[in-house]
Amino acid sequence: LMYGTGDDDDPTDGSEVLPTLANTGVGSGGFGLTHLGFDGAAWTESGGILGGRTDYAALALIIDDISFVENLTHKLTIAYGKGTTDSDLIKKYGAGLLGVTPILTDEDSFWEVNFDSTYQIYENLSLAGKFGYVNVDRDEDVWGNANSDLDNAYKFTVILRYNF
C-alpha cells in the first residue's frame, strides 16, 4: 500500500506533493514497487512509466517464491493505483505548469501486472525472465490527446546472471 499526496488546483500556494529521498541506484526516486511502472525500477532510463512523482495511491498484491518445479521460482505482482493531483490544475493550467510529466490526477488510474521467473541452473548461475504490462487510463476530459503514447507499456527481459 502506498499513498502520496497530490497538488491542489492552486499553483500559487506551492506544491503539496510529498518529497522523496533519492538513492544512488537506478532511477532517480529509489521507489521500485514494480520493475516497470515505478520510479527507481530496474532497467528503466527515465524513471518508470509513471514518472518521478508520487502523486498517487497504489495497492499491490505480491505473491513471491512460487515453485512447482525444483530450482524454478516465480513472482506475481498485481498493482492498481489512482492519481491524487486535482484534475482542475491540469484543466486550468496544462501539464507544462509543473514541468514534470506524467502527472496522475484524481481522474486517472493505472494497473500493472508483472510475472517473473527464475531458474537456478547451477549454484552461481541463474536464468530469469521478467514480463511486465502497465495500463495508464488518463481521463480524456482532463488531458485531451496529450500523453496518449503513455497508455500501455510492455516489457520482456531475459537475464543470465552469474554470481561469484
Side-chain angles (χ1 to χ4, degrees):
L1 180 63
M2 185 265 179
Y3 179 80
T5 58
D7 285 314
D8 62 15
D9 65 346
D10 183 6
T12 63
D13 65 355
S15 178
E16 288 81 17
V17 175
L18 288 170
T20 57
L21 299 174
N23 68 4
T24 57
V26 176
S28 59
F31 178 71
L33 177 63
T34 63
H35 62 68
L36 180 57
F38 289 85
D39 187 33
W43 308 105
T44 61
E45 297 177 7
S46 61
I49 304 303
L50 299 172
R53 292 173 55 96
T54 56
D55 55 348
Y56 47 83
L59 178 65
L61 171 68
I62 301 171
I63 303 172
D64 198 4
D65 211 16
I66 305 166
S67 182
F68 302 107
V69 177
E70 187 177 353
N71 296 329
L72 180 63
T73 58
H74 308 284
K75 178 180 180 181
L76 175 67
T77 305
I78 302 170
Y80 173 80
K82 188 159 177 62
T84 56
T85 291
D86 193 332
S87 60
D88 289 337
L89 179 69
I90 304 303
K91 289 178 186 176
K92 291 178 187 176
Y93 302 100
L97 170 74
L98 300 175
V100 137
T101 56
I103 297 165
L104 291 177
T105 71
D106 53 11
E107 300 294 326
D108 306 326
S109 64
F110 68 90
W111 61 274
E112 179 174 355
V113 175
N114 292 286
F115 185 73
D116 307 334
S117 297
T118 303
Y119 180 68
Q120 197 68 40
I121 301 169
Y122 297 110
E123 182 179 347
N124 295 336
L125 183 66
S126 64
L127 177 67
K130 296 178 179 268
F131 170 76
Y133 171 78
V134 177
N135 176 278
V136 180
D137 182 20
R138 295 188 178 275
D139 188 87
E140 223 174 276
D141 293 336
V142 176
W143 298 97
N145 290 330
N147 296 317
S148 62
D149 60 335
L150 297 175
D151 286 344
N152 299 305
Y154 305 88
K155 171 185 159 180
F156 182 73
T157 305
V158 177
I159 302 168
L160 184 63
R161 174 181 279 169
Y162 182 78
N163 293 320
F164 55 94

